[in-house]
Amino acid sequence: MARAAYLERLPMRHPGDVSEIEAAIDAGTVRPGGLTAILGKTEGNGCVNDFTRAYATQSLRAALVGRLSPEHLAALPMVMSGGVEGGLSPHWLLLHEGEAPKTPGPALAIASRITRDLSPSEIGRIAQARLVREATLEAMAAAEIARPEDVHFVQVKCPLLTAERAAAAGGDVATRDMLRSMGLSRGASALGVAWALGEIGGLEQGRICADVEIWSARASCSAGVELMGCEVVVMGQSEVWSGPLAIKHTVMRDAIDAGAIAALLAEIAPGAPVGDPGPRLRAVLVKAEASKSGRIRGARHTMLEDSDIASTRHARGFVGGLVAGLVGFTEVFVSGGAEHQGPDGGGPVAFIYERENGA
Amino acid sequence: MARAAYLERLPMRHPGDVSEIEAAIDAGTVRPGGLTAILGKTEGNGCVNDFTRAYATQSLRAALVGRLSPEHLAALPMVMSGGVEGGLSPHWLLLHEGEAPKTPGPALAIASRITRDLSPSEIGRIAQARLVREATLEAMAAAEIARPEDVHFVQVKCPLLTAERAAAAGGDVATRDMLRSMGLSRGASALGVAWALGEIGGLEQGRICADVEIWSARASCSAGVELMGCEVVVMGQSEVWSGPLAIKHTVMRDAIDAGAIAALLAEIAPGAPVGDPGPRLRAVLVKAEASKSGRIRGARHTMLEDSDIASTRHARGFVGGLVAGLVGFTEVFVSGGAEHQGPDGGGPVAFIYERENGA
Amino acid sequence: MARAAYLERLPMRHPGDVSEIEAAIDAGTVRPGGLTAILGKTEGNGCVNDFTRAYATQSLRAALVGRLSPEHLAALPMVMSGGVEGGLSPHWLLLHEGEAPKTPGPALAIASRITRDLSPSEIGRIAQARLVREATLEAMAAAEIARPEDVHFVQVKCPLLTAERAAAAGGDVATRDMLRSMGLSRGASALGVAWALGEIGGLEQGRICADVEIWSARASCSAGVELMGCEVVVMGQSEVWSGPLAIKHTVMRDAIDAGAIAALLAEIAPGAPVGDPGPRLRAVLVKAEASKSGRIRGARHTMLEDSDIASTRHARGFVGGLVAGLVGFTEVFVSGGAEHQGPDGGGPVAFIYERENGA
Amino acid sequence: MARAAYLERLPMRHPGDVSEIEAAIDAGTVRPGGLTAILGKTEGNGCVNDFTRAYATQSLRAALVGRLSPEHLAALPMVMSGGVEGGLSPHWLLLHEGEAPKTPGPALAIASRITRDLSPSEIGRIAQARLVREATLEAMAAAEIARPEDVHFVQVKCPLLTAERAAAAGGDVATRDMLRSMGLSRGASALGVAWALGEIGGLEQGRICADVEIWSARASCSAGVELMGCEVVVMGQSEVWSGPLAIKHTVMRDAIDAGAIAALLAEIAPGAPVGDPGPRLRAVLVKAEASKSGRIRGARHTMLEDSDIASTRHARGFVGGLVAGLVGFTEVFVSGGAEHQGPDGGGPVAFIYERENGA
């Protein structure tokens, strides 16, 4: 028997609704002891005052506290990402590990690490990138993923700065603007992943959220007020693992890069009609952002100049519509704010899907 | 020589920016006397207090007043539709008529009518539908479109109710809720189009915005505070016309109906890769809305329960992302609020494109 | 010894922050067994998708579950009201009962009741008003408040309709519009209070949210997705009670009725300068709404035509600014949506303050 | 006969509605040749993409072009300030100059200047402050206001940075964040006024929007996309002038400083009841902002952490409610973003009122 990764994609009726998770555990579909990470796409604004993330996390903890050991619960990443703009649908993604007979070829391999709590002064700076780099490398090793190029997605949840935290740090913080601190934190995390995966060789002062030329093709970072450490979930392919699932990734070059999505779908479902890739696709993870250039293929967009709706909300809904249309369902995990996650205005995309020779 | 329809798609730097239109007229690309209709996708919220529409209209009038006869200017539909959520790009669509040698086969034919001003009591009721029906039939005749099935798109701009207008009507109004009045007005207009095109046989009391089973596959209606009449622009195919352009339409069955878009693109650019249909496509007109069922293919959406962002804004950005991705550009005319315009949660789509044997 | 009502006003750092409540209990300031009701002003949007209310409630329950009997916890009203627009400050109000030596004169008397769960079909209709009426009368009796005129404030938390609930009721609902259901539910509750207090003699079909002439001067109702029953907290003056506190109320005639607030303050702090009534004032409860007329003293307001910000949010911040300025602090419990709670555009106000001869 | 300043406060039905201004001119109430400045409180969001300002300005120009000389029109400040949150009412303030018999004592004196267009690199920097300082001094001289302490209000309208403008400056700009550029521009303008009035002795690098200890008690600055110069309107008291009006000012120390407003009202209407100062008060000009400390008198506010509503919108509605309540009407010119305009979280307030011995 080999290690095997499993995934459940479950609906969420509101941010406190963990009933489908409880049902999956009670039915034996998910063995609590095997849980590696829980991702949640919740229906808040995904920005500073999005309390749906903390509410979902609190609800998850209450549901799991009697079903997991305290050590496991403390170490279990719960990556809540707010924002289901447009027709996106709130949902949970449960990644869990079990066993399966070894079949030929690589399969999905997963592992996670949580860094120590950051001080407010570290948020959005090189110190954060370094901690994320280390956690990524440790999770890779734990997942027995042999080479950096076998890593296909690294989901990071990281902290942000509030006025209170900035004051506690005596003002020695990367920014005093809360919304901006979310961007810096995401950016530092992404560069930590890039560093771990060899996409960049190192990181110098002054590059975070300033140099759009350095980025990871596999990092997806979201920031939330509810934690002070960084939760790192590594997903890749490993010959050591078996089981029903595999993972692939691509990079959208801009917000309307349908071709990148279509090409990745064609690897899983060759010849399938547009918008109907069939049942093999199990989860879709996407990063989206408004291009800093203010343009998409030369045409002006207004996302950065809209003072009524945050640009991250615009970007999630817009890219979410394209991806949902192409994959044929709306439970797509689109996360906003793609600083150093793909090129300016684009972002990484990963598909978790059923192996042909799986299970 | 035959009648010929032309189209310019021009960028807009802000809602008052008509410089590209002035330049096109000055360069002789557009003959002012030939103008049939001007559509504008402006960067407001597309809802009740969207003044970008009136601002754009005022700017247009100022630019055209010295270039058109007063009669022509008064009869020229200026259909401003607010909302470029996500990466959509503000732009103008100028439809104008000229001449071209007659070539075989039908070509794009266009004409417009403006109804008399409605009384506040008529807005959103059968009286409005009847007026739109008549204007549609008159515009069809003016465009020499032989059969209802040769009409591929009817763009309507219609009025809404404000508190002042409701009071002026002594309270005899379809609703006192401004946002709701926009929906009723769009719905009544759409059913007027459906009635004219034979998609419905008539219209009874109590059906507007209540019976989701009756709809037009070719109506696109938007409401604005800046007018009291209904502007109706009919676009179709006619054997009488010639010139470089043609039009086709389809209906999205829901907000992620990539298949419908792809199939229509395949008629214009057979075998083209996803997201890159080539240069023949000149304009894209789309309606989008949040499904009243609260679901898309069974998964919950939150558009109708979001009190921070209007559902029309969500829907435009989400559907806009899908369409922009498939056509490869972001100057897509997505209009929100698709009451009786396509099935619940879906909407009509039209492409204006270059004929193979055109010009 | 006599029954005595106590109040703590405590800050909230985020909707899940119950630390000040726990500290007050641990310090013995609040005896858990004496809790009558907990009100919370949370920092959500106060509209349909405000999950800060449920998050705060969940956090409260978790904090209290080990400190209260299950029966007490189940019957304890937790009235979370979202929205701290402008400079309002998130806070808790704990009403609890103890004992004090009987001193002459009436004192604050409090009691609460929770109705049975409503069916979706009952929400916003006479059935709801009747249930709230009964609960109000029962709570009055429990509080030993002798006469209806001795009741100074009745806080009600009531349910709303979601798409799921409407569907569950087979469509037999007062409305299918979620935001509107909040208004109807608040209106029905307020008329239930008015009925109990003799402010109206009864209630006929078709009056809820339609007849602005019928209203309570002492009802304050807010709606939330997190409950299906109505929680009713009655506050008044009773000769049976003693202790340090008393309550008074007034009615703002419109959103800028500074005179009403000033007159009430003058009763507590005669001759105090504007904006500095001194330390006797302990809690302020206010209802605010946008006048349906679209005007305030003849001048147009735009609250009902703003599609970016809900009118309830506008009204809370605006009225909140006035009241906070006059009382000199920002922990003011302003609740939006004042259907049948005071005249059109106005609303009830209550002050809980220290009796001169108290304790 | 002496110079005399006049003021009309006129309602606005929408941002393009100049009908009341046209009527006042046609009725002879306002002599176009005497116009010194026009202020407009329009119903946009007051932030980057608020096009109601440009729309109102365009409408004003169209109304005045046939009634003013081209030179006068070009030099006439039109200070449009977006945002009528809460119950504030959109309105115009026309300041115009005529003649009146000289009566004893000083009277309202007004004059204006417009600086040259700024380059994008100058916006939000010392260069802007220096230009505003010069324009303020020139306008003081033109208004024959003898001493800096006789200046009671200086209204400045200044430009902001857009992505296009930043790009045109080759990136040599104070910020690339549009919303932040509005703050820097307002701050630089305010410090220019403070410098002119001797409230600060000079201005060093790095202080704009960084040092909250330096501020003007009389500057009110708003930024808009529709201009590149700074429009400066000086209002003060002068012995040279006569006529019916006078001006006074105060400073709100924080967002709930009712005492400051009440004290200023008491000078105009001694002994008047709270909220009813009588008919002498003709115009109210106020600055409002969210305190950077995140607190008001020690209690947390959430304005800076709300990603759904800009803090400037919160602040305008909240302070607007207080001021409107105290003055008894809602046509209050509250302008958001008070960088260096009053202390952190507070702001200047000016009243234009009828002199007792006037006219």
Side-chain angles (χ1 to χ4, degrees):
Chain A
M1 298 295 275
R3 296 174 77 181
Y6 296 89
L7 172 103
E8 316 304 318
R9 193 178 84 222
L10 300 171
M12 191 193 295
R13 276 189 289 273
H14 57 76
D17 175 34
V18 293
S19 60
E20 296 282 341
I21 295 174
E22 294 176 317
I25 291 174
D26 293 347
T29 313
V30 174
R31 188 177 55 87
L35 279 168
T36 302
I38 300 179
L39 280 64
K41 194 94 221 49
T42 64
E43 59 201 279
N45 63 24
C47 300
V48 175
N49 64 327
D50 180 352
F51 298 102
T52 62
R53 296 175 300 222
Y55 178 30
T57 302
Q58 186 180 72
S59 303
L60 265 181
R61 286 193 187 283
L64 296 177
V65 71
R67 292 169 161 118
L68 287 186
S69 71
E71 298 73 31
H72 189 172
L73 188 55
L76 181 65
M78 299 180 185
V79 184
M80 301 300 118
S81 164
V84 288
E85 289 77 12
L88 294 173
S89 192
H91 64 285
W92 304 103
L93 295 176
L94 275 69
L95 287 162
H96 51 113
E97 182 178 341
E99 291 189 322
K102 182 67 188 129
T103 54
L108 175 63
I110 53 176
S112 67
R113 282 296 178 274
I114 300 184
T115 69
R116 65 163 168 81
D117 281 2
L118 277 69
S119 76
S121 298
E122 291 175 322
I123 293 174
R125 290 175 167 167
I126 291 181
Q128 179 177 347
R130 189 170 290 120
L131 287 167
V132 171
R133 175 178 178 266
E134 288 162 16
T136 303
L137 292 171
E138 287 171 23
M140 267 180 71
E144 298 177 275
I145 298 173
R147 304 170 305 171
E149 56 263 43
D150 294 333
V151 173
H152 288 275
F153 213 67
V154 182
Q155 181 70 45
V156 183
K157 187 64 185 265
C158 46
L160 55 84
L161 287 166
T162 61
E164 282 198 357
R165 290 172 187 173
D172 175 20
V173 287
T175 178
R176 286 180 163 282
D177 180 305
M178 302 304 102
L179 197 57
R180 178 155 169 73
S181 81
M182 298 179 78
L184 288 168
S185 182
R186 289 187 298 250
S189 293
L191 291 174
V193 173
W195 198 354
L197 301 184
E199 296 174 295
I200 60 173
L203 183 56
E204 293 138 47
Q205 209 66 39
R207 309 287 287 279
I208 298 169
C209 289
D211 181 352
V212 299
E213 300 302 316
I214 51 174
W215 44 269
S216 171
R218 290 163 280 171
S220 168
C221 309
S222 81
V225 77
E226 67 276 13
L227 79 178
M228 282 303 287
C230 295
E231 302 179 339
V232 177
V233 185
V234 167
M235 311 177 204
Q237 291 281 93
S238 170
E239 288 285 351
V240 179
W241 292 57
S242 190
L245 300 175
I247 187 168
K248 278 181 189 294
H249 83 278
T250 187
V251 174
M252 290 179 75
R253 294 283 145 180
D254 60 23
I256 58 171
D257 190 358
I261 306 289
L264 198 63
L265 282 170
E267 295 183 34
I268 298 171
V274 174
D276 188 11
R280 288 183 62 200
L281 189 57
R282 295 282 300 282
V284 181
L285 300 151
V286 185
K287 284 301 299 193
E289 70 171 359
S291 62
K292 283 174 200 64
S293 69
R295 302 204 164 252
I296 298 173
R297 301 191 190 175
R300 182 170 73 97
H301 68 73
T302 64
M303 294 187 269
L304 298 175
E305 303 186 2
D306 187 341
S307 304
D308 296 312
I309 300 179
S311 67
T312 48
R313 303 203 73 179
H314 276 296
R316 269 192 301 266
F318 190 70
V319 173
L322 173 56
V323 176
L326 293 177
V327 305
F329 56 86
T330 58
E331 287 180 344
V332 173
F333 193 90
V334 185
S335 166
E339 298 84 357
H340 301 298
Q341 299 149 65
D344 181 34
V349 177
F351 288 170
I352 298 176
Y353 61 98
E354 293 171 18
R355 294 166 73 200
E356 286 191 83
N357 56 351
Chain B
M1 297 294 277
R3 296 174 77 179
Y6 297 89
L7 172 102
E8 316 304 319
R9 193 179 84 223
L10 300 170
M12 190 193 296
R13 275 188 291 272
H14 57 76
D17 175 34
V18 293
S19 60
E20 296 281 343
I21 296 175
E22 294 176 316
I25 291 174
D26 293 347
T29 313
V30 174
R31 189 177 55 85
L35 279 167
T36 302
I38 300 179
L39 279 65
K41 194 94 223 46
T42 64
E43 59 201 278
N45 63 23
C47 301
V48 176
N49 64 328
D50 181 352
F51 298 103
T52 63
R53 295 175 300 224
Y55 179 29
T57 301
Q58 183 174 275
S59 303
L60 265 181
R61 286 193 188 283
L64 295 177
V65 71
R67 293 167 160 118
L68 287 186
S69 71
E71 297 73 30
H72 188 172
L73 188 56
L76 181 65
M78 298 180 185
V79 183
M80 301 299 118
S81 165
V84 288
E85 289 76 13
L88 294 174
S89 192
H91 64 283
W92 304 103
L93 295 176
L94 275 68
L95 287 162
H96 51 114
E97 182 176 341
E99 290 190 325
K102 183 65 189 132
T103 55
L108 175 64
I110 54 176
S112 68
R113 282 296 179 276
I114 301 183
T115 70
R116 66 161 169 81
D117 281 3
L118 278 69
S119 76
S121 299
E122 291 174 323
I123 292 174
R125 290 175 167 166
I126 291 181
Q128 179 177 346
R130 190 170 288 120
L131 286 167
V132 170
R133 175 179 178 267
E134 288 162 15
T136 303
L137 292 170
E138 288 172 23
M140 268 181 69
E144 297 177 275
I145 298 172
R147 304 169 307 171
E149 56 263 43
D150 293 332
V151 173
H152 288 274
F153 213 66
V154 182
Q155 181 69 45
V156 182
K157 187 66 186 261
C158 48
L160 55 83
L161 286 166
T162 60
E164 281 198 358
R165 289 172 187 171
D172 175 19
V173 285
T175 179
R176 287 178 162 281
D177 180 306
M178 302 305 101
L179 196 57
R180 178 156 169 72
S181 81
M182 298 178 78
L184 288 168
S185 180
R186 289 187 297 251
S189 293
L191 291 173
V193 173
W195 197 353
L197 301 185
E199 295 173 295
I200 59 172
L203 183 57
E204 293 138 47
Q205 208 68 40
R207 308 288 285 278
I208 298 169
C209 289
D211 181 352
V212 299
E213 301 301 317
I214 52 174
W215 45 270
S216 171
R218 289 164 281 171
S220 168
C221 309
S222 81
V225 76
E226 66 276 15
L227 78 179
M228 283 301 288
C230 295
E231 302 178 340
V232 177
V233 185
V234 167
M235 310 176 205
Q237 291 281 92
S238 170
E239 288 284 351
V240 179
W241 292 56
S242 190
L245 300 175
I247 186 169
K248 278 183 188 293
H249 82 278
T250 188
V251 174
M252 290 178 75
R253 293 285 145 179
D254 60 25
I256 58 171
D257 191 357
I261 307 289
L264 198 63
L265 282 170
E267 295 184 34
I268 298 171
V274 174
D276 187 12
R280 288 182 63 200
L281 189 57
R282 295 281 302 281
V284 180
L285 301 151
V286 186
K287 285 303 297 193
E289 70 170 359
S291 63
K292 282 174 202 65
S293 69
R295 303 204 163 251
I296 298 173
R297 301 192 190 174
R300 183 171 72 97
H301 68 74
T302 64
M303 295 187 269
L304 298 175
E305 303 186 3
D306 187 342
S307 304
D308 296 310
I309 301 179
S311 68
T312 48
R313 303 202 73 180
H314 275 296
R316 270 192 302 266
F318 190 71
V319 173
L322 173 56
V323 176
L326 293 177
V327 304
F329 57 85
T330 58
E331 287 180 344
V332 173
F333 194 91
V334 185
S335 164
E339 298 84 357
H340 301 298
Q341 300 149 66
D344 181 33
V349 178
F351 288 169
I352 298 176
Y353 61 99
E354 293 171 19
R355 295 166 70 200
E356 285 189 86
N357 54 350
Chain C
M1 299 293 278
R3 296 175 77 179
Y6 297 88
L7 172 102
E8 316 304 318
R9 194 179 83 224
L10 300 170
M12 190 194 295
R13 276 188 290 273
H14 57 76
D17 175 34
V18 293
S19 60
E20 296 281 343
I21 296 175
E22 294 176 316
I25 292 174
D26 293 347
T29 313
V30 174
R31 188 177 54 86
L35 280 167
T36 302
I38 300 179
L39 279 64
K41 194 93 219 55
T42 63
E43 58 201 280
N45 63 23
C47 300
V48 176
N49 64 327
D50 181 352
F51 298 102
T52 63
R53 295 176 300 224
Y55 178 31
T57 302
Q58 186 183 69
S59 303
L60 266 181
R61 286 193 187 283
L64 296 176
V65 71
R67 294 167 159 118
L68 287 186
S69 71
E71 298 73 30
H72 189 172
L73 188 55
L76 180 65
M78 298 180 186
V79 183
M80 301 300 117
S81 164
V84 287
E85 289 76 12
L88 294 173
S89 192
H91 64 284
W92 304 103
L93 295 176
L94 275 68
L95 288 163
H96 51 115
E97 182 177 341
E99 290 190 324
K102 182 65 189 131
T103 55
L108 175 64
I110 53 177
S112 67
R113 282 295 179 274
I114 301 183
T115 69
R116 65 162 169 81
D117 281 1
L118 278 69
S119 76
S121 298
E122 290 174 323
I123 292 174
R125 290 175 167 166
I126 291 181
Q128 179 178 347
R130 190 170 289 121
L131 287 167
V132 170
R133 174 179 179 267
E134 288 162 14
T136 303
L137 292 170
E138 287 171 23
M140 268 180 70
E144 297 177 274
I145 297 172
R147 304 169 307 170
E149 56 264 43
D150 294 333
V151 172
H152 289 274
F153 213 67
V154 182
Q155 181 69 44
V156 182
K157 187 65 185 265
C158 47
L160 56 83
L161 287 165
T162 61
E164 280 198 358
R165 290 172 187 171
D172 175 20
V173 286
T175 179
R176 287 178 162 281
D177 180 306
M178 302 303 101
L179 196 56
R180 179 156 169 71
S181 81
M182 298 179 78
L184 288 167
S185 181
R186 288 187 298 252
S189 293
L191 291 173
V193 172
W195 197 353
L197 301 185
E199 295 173 294
I200 59 172
L203 182 56
E204 294 139 46
Q205 208 67 40
R207 309 287 285 278
I208 297 169
C209 289
D211 181 352
V212 299
E213 301 302 317
I214 52 175
W215 45 269
S216 171
R218 290 164 281 172
S220 168
C221 309
S222 81
V225 77
E226 66 276 14
L227 78 181
M228 283 302 288
C230 295
E231 302 178 340
V232 176
V233 185
V234 167
M235 309 177 206
Q237 291 282 93
S238 169
E239 289 283 352
V240 179
W241 291 56
S242 190
L245 300 175
I247 185 168
K248 278 182 187 295
H249 83 278
T250 187
V251 174
M252 290 177 76
R253 294 284 145 181
D254 59 25
I256 58 171
D257 191 357
I261 306 289
L264 198 63
L265 282 170
E267 295 183 35
I268 298 171
V274 175
D276 187 12
R280 288 183 61 201
L281 189 57
R282 295 281 302 281
V284 181
L285 301 151
V286 186
K287 284 302 298 193
E289 70 171 359
S291 63
K292 283 173 200 64
S293 69
R295 303 204 164 250
I296 298 173
R297 302 192 190 174
R300 182 171 72 97
H301 68 73
T302 64
M303 295 186 270
L304 298 175
E305 303 185 3
D306 187 341
S307 304
D308 296 311
I309 301 179
S311 68
T312 49
R313 303 202 73 178
H314 276 295
R316 270 191 302 264
F318 190 71
V319 173
L322 174 56
V323 176
L326 293 176
V327 303
F329 57 85
T330 58
E331 288 180 345
V332 173
F333 194 90
V334 185
S335 164
E339 298 84 356
H340 301 298
Q341 299 149 67
D344 181 34
V349 177
F351 288 170
I352 298 177
Y353 61 99
E354 292 171 20
R355 296 166 70 200
E356 285 190 85
N357 54 351
Chain D
M1 297 294 276
R3 296 173 78 179
Y6 296 89
L7 173 101
E8 315 305 318
R9 193 178 84 222
L10 301 170
M12 191 194 295
R13 275 189 290 273
H14 57 76
D17 174 35
V18 292
S19 61
E20 296 281 343
I21 295 175
E22 294 176 316
I25 291 174
D26 293 347
T29 313
V30 174
R31 187 177 55 87
L35 279 167
T36 302
I38 301 179
L39 280 64
K41 195 94 221 46
T42 63
E43 59 201 278
N45 63 23
C47 299
V48 176
N49 64 328
D50 180 352
F51 298 103
T52 63
R53 296 176 300 222
Y55 178 30
T57 301
Q58 185 184 71
S59 303
L60 266 181
R61 287 194 188 283
L64 296 177
V65 71
R67 293 168 161 119
L68 287 186
S69 71
E71 297 73 30
H72 188 172
L73 188 55
L76 181 66
M78 299 180 184
V79 184
M80 302 299 119
S81 165
V84 287
E85 289 77 13
L88 294 174
S89 192
H91 64 285
W92 303 103
L93 295 176
L94 275 69
L95 287 162
H96 51 114
E97 182 177 341
E99 291 190 322
K102 182 67 189 127
T103 54
L108 175 63
I110 53 176
S112 68
R113 282 296 179 273
I114 300 183
T115 70
R116 66 161 168 79
D117 281 2
L118 277 70
S119 76
S121 298
E122 292 175 321
I123 293 174
R125 290 175 168 167
I126 291 181
Q128 180 178 345
R130 189 170 289 121
L131 287 167
V132 170
R133 174 178 178 267
E134 288 161 15
T136 303
L137 291 171
E138 288 172 23
M140 267 180 70
E144 297 178 275
I145 298 172
R147 304 169 306 171
E149 56 263 44
D150 293 333
V151 172
H152 289 274
F153 212 66
V154 182
Q155 180 69 44
V156 183
K157 186 66 185 263
C158 47
L160 56 84
L161 286 166
T162 60
E164 281 197 358
R165 289 172 188 172
D172 175 20
V173 287
T175 179
R176 286 179 163 281
D177 181 305
M178 303 304 101
L179 196 57
R180 177 154 170 73
S181 80
M182 298 179 78
L184 288 168
S185 182
R186 288 187 297 251
S189 293
L191 290 174
V193 173
W195 197 355
L197 301 184
E199 296 174 295
I200 58 173
L203 184 55
E204 293 138 46
Q205 209 67 39
R207 309 288 285 277
I208 298 169
C209 290
D211 181 353
V212 299
E213 300 302 315
I214 52 174
W215 44 270
S216 171
R218 291 163 280 171
S220 168
C221 309
S222 81
V225 76
E226 65 276 15
L227 78 178
M228 283 303 287
C230 295
E231 303 178 340
V232 177
V233 185
V234 167
M235 311 177 204
Q237 291 282 92
S238 170
E239 288 285 350
V240 179
W241 292 56
S242 190
L245 300 175
I247 186 168
K248 278 181 189 295
H249 83 279
T250 189
V251 174
M252 291 178 75
R253 294 282 144 180
D254 60 24
I256 58 171
D257 191 358
I261 307 288
L264 198 64
L265 282 170
E267 295 183 35
I268 297 171
V274 174
D276 187 11
R280 288 183 62 202
L281 189 57
R282 295 282 301 281
V284 181
L285 300 151
V286 186
K287 284 302 298 194
E289 69 171 0
S291 62
K292 282 173 201 65
S293 69
R295 303 205 163 250
I296 298 173
R297 302 191 189 175
R300 183 170 72 98
H301 69 72
T302 64
M303 295 187 269
L304 298 175
E305 303 186 2
D306 187 342
S307 304
D308 296 311
I309 300 179
S311 67
T312 49
R313 304 203 72 180
H314 276 296
R316 268 191 303 266
F318 190 70
V319 173
L322 173 57
V323 176
L326 292 177
V327 304
F329 56 86
T330 58
E331 287 180 344
V332 174
F333 193 90
V334 185
S335 166
E339 298 83 357
H340 301 297
Q341 300 148 66
D344 181 35
V349 177
F351 288 170
I352 297 177
Y353 62 98
E354 293 171 18
R355 295 166 72 200
E356 286 191 84
N357 56 349

